[in-house]
Amino acid sequence: MSAAGNTLSESASKALLRQFGVPLADEREVTTAAAAAEAATAIGFPVVAKLCGDAIAHKTERGLVRLRLGDAAAVQAAASDLLAAATSADGDVTVLVAPMISGNRELIAGVVRDPQFGANVMLGLGGVLAEAIADVVFRPVPISEVDADDMIDGLRTQKILGEFRGEAAVNRTQLKAVLLGLSSAAVARPDIASIDVNPLIVGRDGAPVAVDALVEIRDVEATPAPRGDGSARPHPTDAQFRALFEPRGVLVAGASTHPGKFGFVSLHNILASGYRGAVYGTNLQGENVLGIDTVADVEALPDGVIDLVFVCTPASANPALLRACARKGIKAAFLTSAGYGEAGDEGRQAEADLVALADELGILLAGPNGQGVVSTPAHLCAQIVAPYPPAGKIAVASQSGNFVSSFLNYARQTGVGISRAVSAGNAAAVSPADYIEWYASDDATAVSLAYVEGIADGRSLLDRFAAVARRKPLVVVKGGATEAGAKAAASHTGALAANDTIFDGACRQAGVTRAATVEEGFEAAATFATQPLPAGPNVVVLTTVGGWGVVTSDAIHRDGLLRLIALPADLQASIDTKLPPRWSRNNPVDCAGGEQRDTIPEVMELIAAHPDVHSIIYLGLGIQSNQARLMREGEFFPDHGLERIATYHERQDDRFARVADELSRRYNKPILTATELAVADPANAGPAAVRDTGRLCYPSGNRAAVALGHLYRYARFRQRHGLD
């Protein structure tokens, strides 16, 4: 059998799938036209007749299918024509007679084996538009009933799955049986290269029936094993990670007096961030750098007091440097040095040799070609770039150092802080997955945020990510999500990005939060770090302006799982006592300009206290302070009572932000506050107070809705897997 594999005949394919519970039509395989007529009579008209053979894969293209045959004579004539159309290349042929299954909806299901992620079950919209619409979802096998449910929920064309043109809703139980059967087949038969069930017709009763199926068999021995991602190497120990993130002392190797060199910038950043441990430096001339008396040789340093060396020396000097550091008891090294794996064959060999040496010496090797490490619990900013972020609960690991900087910049902008951050560089010895696994056991971290590009062994990576996500939220941003992006990632990292749709399905199965952009990734992580998980999907939007509520409602609807609930009658009646009759009397709760001093806090509490409400998005914060700013900037201030009213406006917005924080804590429900003033005027009293409470103020209602969707999906994952 060839490595490319061979395709089973339709009848053989269906016989295999029947063993695993995939629902198929009652079919008969015959060798003569007369037998075809007898089979059709037994099945019941109308029927379909197809020419089948081990070498026939594309029957429709060759005209080897006859539809809507209404009597025995038509079947016999069609079967005769089909048998006559066979060629010598088709081998032994038969006629397959099956009932004519009709329905207005067609799905596609199957199995594909991805080079990075292995076997995956597929479900999508089928028929002639399957490729054009590309509404398809994947999950790695084996899948569970929960996974099958999620796959069905994940299709964009949900209306087609409901009652449709007088036909019943799709029978989810039977559709799940199809997906679970395909998964079982892929697990039991590793020689299956692919399965194509298209179309999977949904009958008028809602039952899905496979009317065509092909199974491709592969030579398992000839199938190349996936490339490793380093997961087979011994993972760094907790003690080594502590040496990296909480070192007793830090050595900058290659410290420089030149303010433009890495050896100066890194030493400056360590000192400027307030690191409280001992700081040392090496410099060939033994110069004083920023008040640190450097030494020319590591041997001149004390033993057993330095845990981390930050390496700014050329690649050629690093083997001897690591040996000297090991003799001083140093357990972790961060390498900014370039000239390794990114520099061709010679660099790759030098990198492999350095990794082997670090393993031999018992040193955690971070990088090379990285930008640095941040650890706010240790007041450590050992990196060659700015900034140093505020302290918080988000831990970052990135294959791109620039995106570490991006996440740290967002932390400074929003006030939602960082616990640890590391640029993995070439990740020669320590991969992003290694850092993420350690973050899961780190008390200083509530959520991990990773940026990944090239994926070598995707299945191993997602298995490790899944173990993390069962303990703490994990947000992943992946480069190479489009064909153009994948080419850019390949040139940047030397690894090809895995199929994006398959990666997305693997993330959903693992409980990993997949963010589409860097901004969305940070906002998702910040939401996990600052909001409780919602108990359910029900959202109420509280707004002071109607248009904002409409746009946010649209975003909630696009999410697919969040639900903008109709206001319960008792809640509506309660709000009636707080707002004038012109209020929206619906969700969004539009106050319609009827707010008085206590209206927002009182209405927000009524909503938060209601048991049917799981989350709130609050819009309109900062409007009063915006007016106060204009008053303060105008020529009439502070006269005419403007100072008093401006102060009142600012105090109100400050109060509203703090009420949202207090109610969220009291009722253990997410309350997300959104206003463009978060970026347009960060000093506005409203968003400033949100930052002061430690929460994220979202730049728009739709971005708040996207973040809330991520929060709910993770909560749902934990609930459905019994993790709470």
Side-chain angles (χ1 to χ4, degrees):
M1 189 178 297
S2 69
N6 71 325
T7 302
L8 300 181
S9 69
E10 181 178 348
S11 58
S13 296
K14 289 178 174 178
L16 187 154
L17 295 181
R18 281 193 182 93
Q19 299 175 29
F20 298 96
V22 176
L24 295 153
D26 178 20
E27 302 175 339
R28 313 291 167 84
E29 189 176 9
V30 297
T31 57
T32 67
E38 293 177 6
T41 301
I43 291 171
F45 298 100
V47 297
V48 178
K50 308 176 186 180
L51 187 69
C52 292
D54 288 342
I56 300 175
H58 302 290
K59 295 180 285 295
T60 302
E61 288 84 345
R62 288 181 54 190
L64 302 180
V65 180
R66 301 290 187 273
L67 305 175
R68 300 181 183 85
L69 303 175
D71 54 43
V75 173
Q76 186 159 345
S80 296
D81 290 345
L82 291 171
L83 290 168
T87 68
S88 59
D90 294 332
D92 295 333
V93 296
T94 59
V95 174
L96 191 68
V97 181
M100 181 71 202
I101 306 294
S102 61
N104 289 318
R105 294 164 290 181
E106 294 184 0
L107 302 175
I108 182 172
V111 170
V112 295
R113 289 193 186 269
D114 181 78
Q116 283 78 32
F117 293 94
N120 280 256
V121 175
M122 173 188 68
L123 173 67
L125 187 67
V128 295
L129 296 178
E131 293 184 10
I133 295 177
D135 184 6
V136 63
V137 292
F138 294 86
R139 294 293 186 276
V141 303
I143 68 169
S144 65
E145 284 203 34
V146 170
D147 295 324
D149 263 325
D150 284 341
M151 291 180 72
I152 298 170
D153 289 338
L155 293 175
R156 299 191 306 273
T157 48
Q158 287 295 307
K159 288 186 178 180
I160 291 180
L161 301 179
E163 294 183 6
F164 185 78
R165 295 186 178 181
E167 298 183 356
V170 173
N171 187 313
R172 289 179 67 102
T173 300
Q174 294 181 8
L175 184 54
K176 285 194 293 184
V178 173
L179 301 176
L180 292 167
L182 292 171
S183 174
S184 297
V187 171
R189 293 285 302 268
D191 61 331
I192 291 177
S194 67
I195 300 174
D196 186 28
V197 179
N198 186 25
L200 185 65
I201 294 181
V202 180
R204 297 187 62 83
D205 62 353
V209 179
V211 299
D212 200 356
L214 287 177
V215 176
E216 182 185 2
I217 302 299
R218 63 176 183 163
D219 185 342
V220 177
E221 292 182 355
T223 302
R227 294 172 293 148
D229 68 344
S231 58
R233 293 186 61 257
H235 300 318
T237 65
D238 180 70
Q240 289 176 317
F241 276 120
R242 294 288 171 191
L244 179 68
F245 288 110
E246 296 183 353
R248 294 170 298 167
V250 178
L251 165 65
V252 175
S256 172
T257 59
H258 192 298
K261 292 191 174 181
F262 290 171
F264 179 95
V265 174
S266 58
L267 181 59
H268 172 275
N269 292 348
I270 291 169
L271 297 172
S273 62
Y275 175 64
R276 296 170 183 170
V279 180
Y280 302 87
T282 63
N283 174 288
L284 292 179
Q285 287 73 41
E287 298 169 291
N288 183 284
V289 184
L290 296 172
I292 302 297
D293 290 326
T294 67
V295 297
D297 192 334
V298 173
E299 296 298 339
L301 296 171
D303 296 339
V305 297
I306 305 171
D307 291 324
L308 170 65
V309 56
F310 194 84
V311 180
C312 300
T313 51
S316 59
N318 290 338
L321 173 66
L322 289 188
R323 290 189 178 92
C325 287
R327 289 193 292 271
K328 294 297 176 180
I330 293 174
K331 296 298 183 185
F334 191 99
L335 271 68
T336 66
S337 314
Y340 287 100
E342 78 286 357
D345 291 342
E346 186 175 341
R348 281 189 286 273
Q349 184 58 54
E351 184 172 284
D353 292 343
L354 197 68
V355 170
L357 176 61
D359 286 346
E360 176 189 332
L361 299 173
I363 290 178
L364 179 152
L365 184 69
N369 195 27
Q371 290 191 357
V373 58
V374 166
S375 179
T376 59
H379 301 276
L380 177 66
C381 182
Q383 54 180 7
I384 57 176
V385 293
Y388 181 60
K393 291 287 189 177
I394 302 173
V396 176
S398 173
Q399 287 180 246
S400 166
N402 291 331
F403 282 130
V404 173
S405 298
S406 296
F407 293 137
L408 302 188
N409 284 329
Y410 284 129
R412 285 184 61 87
Q413 176 209 358
T414 63
V416 181
I418 301 294
S419 57
R420 325 282 190 182
V422 65
S423 156
N426 292 2
V430 189
S431 70
D434 292 321
Y435 296 112
I436 294 298
E437 284 178 331
W438 186 77
Y439 293 158
S441 61
D442 177 27
D443 291 339
T445 295
V447 55
S448 295
L449 173 57
Y451 173 81
V452 298
E453 288 177 351
I455 295 176
D457 185 351
R459 192 56 182 262
S460 173
L461 178 71
L462 262 297
D463 285 347
R464 299 174 72 187
F465 278 4
V468 169
R470 296 178 77 87
R471 301 172 65 185
K472 291 180 182 178
L474 168 58
V475 179
V476 172
V477 181
K478 175 178 173 286
T482 65
E483 183 177 354
K487 290 178 180 177
S491 64
H492 184 51
T493 66
L496 292 174
N499 180 285
D500 192 63
T501 309
I502 290 177
F503 179 79
D504 192 67
C507 285
R508 289 183 182 273
Q509 183 187 65
V512 173
T513 297
R514 171 83 187 280
T517 65
V518 172
E519 297 90 342
E520 183 183 322
F522 180 82
E523 288 174 5
T527 306
F528 281 118
T530 61
Q531 295 283 353
L533 295 179
N538 298 343
V539 186
V540 169
V541 176
L542 173 62
T543 179
T544 57
V545 179
W548 289 338
V550 171
V551 171
T552 304
S553 299
D554 290 341
I556 291 170
H557 177 74
R558 285 193 300 271
D559 175 83
L561 287 183
L562 293 177
R563 185 163 61 230
L564 190 76
I565 62 164
L567 288 184
D570 58 337
L571 179 55
Q572 180 177 311
S574 298
I575 297 174
D576 270 337
T577 67
K578 304 296 181 182
L579 292 174
R582 66 179 182 274
W583 79 278
S584 63
R585 305 179 67 79
N586 206 338
N587 186 11
V589 177
D590 181 1
C591 298
E595 306 96 306
Q596 298 179 5
R597 182 183 184 280
D598 297 321
T599 300
I600 294 297
E602 290 176 349
V603 172
M604 192 183 297
E605 180 165 6
L606 290 174
I607 298 170
H610 199 281
D612 291 350
V613 177
H614 303 131
S615 304
I616 299 172
I617 296 178
Y618 168 43
L619 311 172
L621 182 71
I623 291 178
Q624 295 187 58
S625 296
N626 220 18
Q627 178 60 45
R629 180 176 60 84
L630 188 57
M631 288 175 172
R632 291 184 182 279
E633 293 173 351
E635 61 183 290
F636 305 106
F637 189 84
D639 299 329
H640 308 284
L642 293 181
E643 184 171 23
R644 179 182 60 81
I645 193 64
T647 301
Y648 169 77
H649 284 328
E650 292 161 350
R651 189 167 59 245
Q652 282 290 87
D653 278 324
D654 181 282
R655 177 188 177 208
F656 298 161
R658 297 183 191 281
V659 165
D661 173 65
E662 190 275 326
L663 291 175
S664 174
R665 297 179 192 279
R666 192 195 317 170
Y667 293 103
N668 196 35
K669 296 180 180 181
I671 301 181
L672 281 62
T673 302
T675 171
E676 74 281 358
L677 292 166
V679 291
D681 186 11
N684 181 289
V690 174
R691 291 195 302 273
D692 193 54
T693 66
R695 309 256 181 168
L696 177 63
C697 191
Y698 301 84
S700 66
N702 58 289
R703 281 167 71 166
V706 170
L708 181 58
H710 288 311
L711 199 69
Y712 173 59
R713 276 174 173 76
Y714 183 67
R716 185 172 180 256
F717 169 81
R718 296 190 66 83
Q719 292 164 0
R720 298 179 83 173
H721 288 83
L723 299 176
D724 292 324

